[in-house]
């Protein structure tokens, strides 16, 4: 149950319930119902009564703050027909929270320590509001803070163990999370089906798109050896596509590969306008692998800043193999970096021709003595084009640095769409 | 009421209900309750019965597709105790949708035309699934497609008029939407309170943060002259902060200002790593106002690519007024652009010193003969630092180009936080 007028008016989009559901999914639990209730005492009380009477566990989110519209504790006290009383553990938490911040607790703040008398406090290591729990109608009620950062931490550390305990979900779950780039969900599933007809039902395999990468989870119960075995098989099959474990992002994977090989990257960007450099430098520590790059949007700058020959531009056009090769060479020459990536394409909506339609893009990458180039067709709208081209460029460099195949067939779905549009 | 297992498992985060609520808010309507129900026929039917008995309007979202887990029509038919029958209007829509796509309608597709017999079709101009509506328990039930793009269009064109009609909300609403940058919600509200003690209650003023800008709405009923009058007063007071109307973004506002004055921009970025150039070039038509820029992340590249003197770097350090001024001058010299913006700062988490802490950033901007520089302190974490610095840099150039004050006091809250952290 999610509380708050800001959810009813749509001022806030709820992502907390999705986080909780995703965490529960790892243990095979799917919530039975989900309600959003505004800051209305009677409605909150009624919903708590209704939901506790049909559920084993009710997680209430939000309404723990110090203001008059924070009503969760009072609604729960009313539903449980008990009073609010100042909770000593909650007081202790508030004081411990306020002290290092030189924060003087007001009467409103102290209200956060007034909890239904049967409640036990759930610690909140990162915020002023404590969580709390009680039993009502044989249902475990867990009240949690609305601030996503606080909520997520409490879900990981407290709520999930409580729910597993209540549901006798005592099995030990092994969860392996891998992140892949350059392949679609359905592509992944097809390959798994074809290559692993013997995939065991005890290894739950889940995919989730987190643009531009896909997260893959392998989940087993009480069998870490089985998890490890099938993780190894999966990793072997998709080795080139796997950019890392856990929450690895494309720029992280690229920077790590560069760092490992002690290589410095430079960029020469036209259609992505600096987005590759911005992504690489968005990561801490990027100065070890990146010292500078160029945004050469016009032909003039491609010539003046990168030394692309005017003849090459005239003869082949800015979106061509010779031009991106000269851009990459120019960037290497001017920065003394070890490896370059250059990109030139037609992001649209204008600027396309029959021969070179919107969505066409050339990329060059590699070291001075071994530059390679490839053409892609990404007819997906300007911003998606820029995002996708940036991601592919980073992945090509990652593959080059790691000695992996750079002729990979990225997003075959996209290409099919492309060939259709080209007709 | 939102339907779909993907919402219960958290695979999808619901943004549709927020869109509908925001659209209703303009007319003073706030939904009374919001439920999420998985793809379970009995639960869907029960929820429809329960919600129609306590509401005037029920909007059902999702479950209109061709697959077996799309159950909305059947659940509504069961709840209304009527059968499903093939709806002629829905069939016509499906055929019209399939034809230009060379799409052969399968039996599953045809299922989308089987609607509760009392239902009328609501056209869907952008997808295969039609919406539909009926009355049940004196409640208007409106069923809508789950695909956000289709849903939003149907809300704008069909759902809002239907709800207004049902609620006799026949007033003509004037809605003015403005976008501001560089001021906080609470700062805005304080200034309005102080400067407009006579702000009329008939002009509803709403704020919504859409990072990094704030959207301001002025809403009046049946009085467009009053809306215009107070919009003018508001615009006069916040002229410098207003980047545009409607959905204007910072890069759009900047590009438009450059286009109007026929000026070409160049960038010299250190700590933002190309993000300013990437933002400017994310907009269509940016080649008219931007031809190229530099990402000079290391001191070496600041010297070699932009001609920043080694002495300046040695004497003042990379994050200093003289260095950003030389970076800007170098970018102008190398690209022959009219106006430059240069930026150098300490994004963190490492690299700070007592004298130059993480969060410190210098920016220079202007034409060759009138370069200006300012220092900011943004101690907000690496990614937020880069986002905020990028936004401020764009806004400074916008103000410079438009002849507005560039000594503006951006985000005084941030500065306060800064001074606190600095202690």
């Amino acid at each position: 149950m999610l509380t708050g007028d800001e959810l009813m008016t749509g001022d806030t989009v709820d992502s907390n319930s999705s986080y909780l559901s995703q965490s529960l999914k790892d243990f095979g639990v799917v919530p039975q119902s989900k309600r959003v209730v505004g800051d209305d005492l009677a409605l909150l009380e009624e919903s708590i009564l209704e939901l506790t009477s049909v559920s084993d566990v009710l997680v209430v989110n939000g309404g723990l703050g110090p203001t008059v519209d924070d009503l969760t504790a009072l609604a729960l006290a009313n539903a449980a027909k008990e009073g609010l009383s100042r909770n000593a553990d909650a007081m202790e938490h508030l004081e411990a929270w306020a002290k290092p911040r030189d924060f003087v607790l007001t009467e409103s703040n102290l209200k956060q320590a007034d909890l239904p008398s049967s409640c036990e406090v759930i610690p909140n290591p990162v915020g002023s509001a404590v969580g709390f729990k009680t039993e009502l109608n044989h249902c475990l009620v867990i009240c949690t803070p609305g601030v996503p950062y606080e909520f997520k931490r409490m879900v990981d550390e407290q709520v999930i163990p409580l729910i597993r305990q209540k549901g006798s979900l005592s099995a030990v779950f092994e969860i392996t999370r891998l992140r892949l780039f350059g392949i679609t969900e359905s592509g992944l599933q097809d390959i798994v089906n074809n290559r692993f007809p013997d995939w065991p039902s005890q290894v739950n395999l889940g995919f989730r798109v987190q643009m531009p990468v896909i997260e893959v989870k392998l989940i087993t119960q009480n069998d870490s050896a089985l998890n490890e075995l099938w993780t190894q098989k999966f990793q072997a099959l998709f080795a080139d596509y796997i950019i890392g474990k856990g929450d690895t992002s494309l720029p992280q994977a690229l920077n790590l590969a560069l760092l490992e090989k002690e290589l410095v990257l430079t960029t020469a960007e036209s259609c992505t306008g600096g987005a590759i450099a911005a992504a690489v430098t968005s990561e801490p520590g990027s100065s070890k692998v990146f010292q500078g790059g160029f945004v050469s949007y016009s032909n003039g700058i491609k010539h003046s800043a990168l030394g692309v020959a005017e003849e090459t531009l005239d003869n082949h056009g800015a979106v061509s193999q010779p031009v991106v090769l000269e851009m990459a060479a120019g960037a290497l020459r001017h920065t003394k970096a070890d490896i370059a990536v250059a990109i030139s394409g037609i992001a649209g909506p204008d600027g396309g021709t029959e021969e070179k339609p919107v969505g066409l893009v050339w990329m060059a990458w590699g070291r001075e003595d071994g530059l390679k180039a490839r053409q892609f067709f990404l007819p997906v709208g300007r911003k998606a084009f820029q995002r996708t081209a940036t991601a592919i460029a980073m992945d090509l460099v990652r593959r080059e640095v790691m000695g992996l195949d750079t002729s990979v067939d990225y997003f075959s779905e996209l290409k099919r769409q492309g060939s259709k549009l080209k007709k």
Side-chain angles (χ1 to χ4, degrees), chain A:
Chain A
M1 185 173 112
L2 305 144
T3 76
D5 281 347
E6 69 280 16
L7 294 171
M8 296 312 293
T9 60
D11 286 334
T12 299
V13 170
D14 155 53
S15 60
N16 282 355
S17 70
S18 165
Y19 185 81
L20 176 60
S21 293
Q22 284 285 313
S23 306
L24 289 170
K25 201 181 168 190
D26 296 342
F27 307 101
V29 175
V30 177
Q32 204 209 349
S33 64
K34 191 158 116 184
R35 291 218 192 159
V36 188
V37 184
D39 299 318
D40 175 312
L41 189 61
L43 275 179
L44 287 166
E45 186 185 330
E46 195 184 304
S47 303
I48 290 172
L49 281 173
E50 201 183 321
L51 291 169
T52 50
S53 69
V54 296
S55 318
D56 298 313
V57 179
L58 169 64
V59 177
V60 182
N61 186 232
L64 306 189
T67 61
V68 287
D69 55 1
D70 288 306
L71 295 167
T72 298
L74 186 57
L76 179 58
N78 289 354
K81 301 205 190 324
E82 50 185 72
L84 285 178
S85 57
R86 193 142 294 180
N87 183 297
D89 293 341
M91 268 309 291
E92 201 177 305
H93 170 81
L94 269 177
E95 283 163 359
W97 181 83
K99 205 170 174 195
R101 292 173 174 77
D102 284 334
F103 191 94
V104 181
L105 293 169
T106 65
E107 198 46 48
S108 311
N109 296 120
L110 295 178
K111 202 197 85 177
Q112 292 179 284
D114 293 340
L115 306 182
S117 18
S118 67
C119 280
E120 269 176 62
V121 157
I122 302 176
N124 176 352
V126 287
S128 67
V130 292
F132 45 90
K133 65 183 168 91
T134 190
E135 286 268 339
L136 177 61
N137 296 327
H138 307 289
C139 172
L140 169 63
V141 182
I142 305 173
C143 300
T144 57
V147 179
Y149 170 61
E150 301 176 21
F151 175 73
K152 287 177 184 175
R153 179 110 176 226
M154 199 175 281
V155 165
D156 292 348
E157 293 176 8
Q158 313 276 349
V159 177
I160 294 295
L162 283 169
I163 293 175
R164 291 184 61 181
Q165 196 183 332
K166 172 82 181 184
S168 304
L169 301 169
S170 59
V172 177
F173 287 83
E174 281 295 320
I175 305 172
T176 306
R177 291 166 60 217
L178 301 170
R179 302 193 111 207
L180 284 78
F181 174 76
I183 190 165
T184 60
E185 266 180 297
S186 54
L188 263 173
Q189 186 67 65
D190 286 349
I191 297 174
V192 169
N193 292 348
N194 288 333
R195 296 289 296 274
F196 295 126
D198 55 338
W199 189 278
S201 62
Q202 303 96 300
V203 184
N204 188 343
L205 182 69
F207 307 132
R208 190 184 186 197
V209 179
Q210 302 197 293
M211 283 293 284
V213 301
I214 293 188
E215 181 184 84
V216 173
K217 276 190 201 173
L218 291 93
I219 305 173
T220 52
Q221 283 186 40
N222 297 325
D223 199 339
S224 62
L226 191 70
N227 192 298
E228 207 170 301
L229 175 70
W230 285 89
T231 297
Q232 278 170 14
K233 291 189 185 205
F234 187 93
Q235 283 177 313
L237 188 56
F238 293 102
D240 291 10
Y241 292 97
I242 295 173
I243 62 168
K245 289 203 169 188
D247 288 321
T248 310
S249 68
L250 269 177
Q252 278 171 350
L254 170 57
N255 289 8
L256 188 66
L258 291 165
L259 197 64
E260 273 175 8
K261 305 284 179 183
E262 296 184 359
L263 294 175
V264 170
L265 175 71
T266 184
T267 52
E269 302 181 61
S270 185
C271 58
T272 48
I276 302 172
V280 167
T281 56
S282 70
E283 291 302 325
S286 49
S287 58
K288 292 194 188 73
V289 298
F290 183 84
Q291 295 177 357
F294 301 84
V295 185
S296 54
Y297 212 59
S298 70
N299 283 359
I301 306 287
K302 286 182 185 75
H303 173 66
S304 67
L306 290 168
V308 177
E310 284 171 340
E311 276 173 354
T312 317
L313 288 161
D314 289 346
N315 293 344
H316 302 278
V319 181
S320 65
Q321 183 172 27
V323 165
V324 288
L325 286 170
E326 288 189 31
M327 285 169 68
L332 286 171
R333 214 165 44 237
H334 284 87
T335 60
K336 304 199 171 53
D338 304 299
I339 189 163
V341 61
I343 186 161
S344 181
I346 302 143
D350 304 319
T353 62
E354 184 122 341
E355 201 193 341
K356 294 187 177 177
V358 169
L360 185 75
V361 55
W362 271 98
M363 302 185 195
W365 71 94
R367 303 173 189 232
E368 207 172 353
D369 56 358
L371 286 172
K372 301 174 186 171
R374 276 183 74 180
Q375 175 188 308
F376 296 91
F377 184 52
L378 312 169
V380 289
R382 184 179 181 89
K383 289 185 187 179
F385 169 91
Q386 290 175 324
R387 266 198 311 272
T388 311
T390 298
I392 290 177
M394 287 192 284
D395 195 58
L396 283 172
V397 178
R398 177 188 72 85
R399 285 169 174 263
E400 182 68 35
V401 168
M402 297 182 70
L404 301 171
D405 178 19
T406 54
S407 67
V408 52
D409 196 12
Y410 286 112
F411 303 115
S412 44
E413 276 77 1
L414 257 184
K415 257 185 18 197
R416 276 207 296 279
Q417 194 185 352
S419 64
K420 206 170 155 192
L421 288 177
K422 240 179 165 174
K423 271 185 216 163

